[in-house]
Amino acid sequence: MDVRPSVVVLSPESDGGRRVMIRGKYTGTAYTLFDVLDFLHRAGLPAEDRVVDDPELIEWRGGGPYDWDNTA
């Protein structure tokens, strides 16, 4: 069975922001890792620092959790 992450963080855009999708719905644009954690918290998902490296929860596209410019 293919299990997809609940959260997808898209590639950095020209302004450094990264669109965040939670459960298939656009949640907002994150400009820092703290923004992603805030979106997780608001959605009732685990929002501890360690979850950013959990591929079962978050799929990072175009760079990982520490990539916030459009050169990733």
Side-chain angles (χ1 to χ4, degrees):
M1 181 159 107
D2 184 25
V3 177
R4 294 180 177 236
S6 298
V7 180
V8 176
V9 180
L10 301 176
S11 299
E13 296 179 359
S14 61
D15 65 355
R18 299 179 74 166
R19 292 173 56 94
V20 179
M21 308 288 289
I22 297 180
R23 298 182 182 114
K25 296 184 180 181
Y26 173 68
T27 303
T29 300
Y31 291 91
T32 68
L33 185 54
F34 295 111
D35 293 338
V36 174
L37 294 172
D38 185 50
F39 291 144
L40 295 175
H41 176 74
R42 291 180 190 198
L45 296 169
E48 296 83 22
D49 287 340
R50 69 180 180 275
V51 302
V52 300
D53 294 318
D54 183 352
E56 291 184 18
L57 178 64
I58 302 176
E59 176 185 343
W60 295 92
R61 296 184 185 171
Y66 306 104
D67 298 311
W68 292 94
D69 62 37
N70 64 350
T71 60

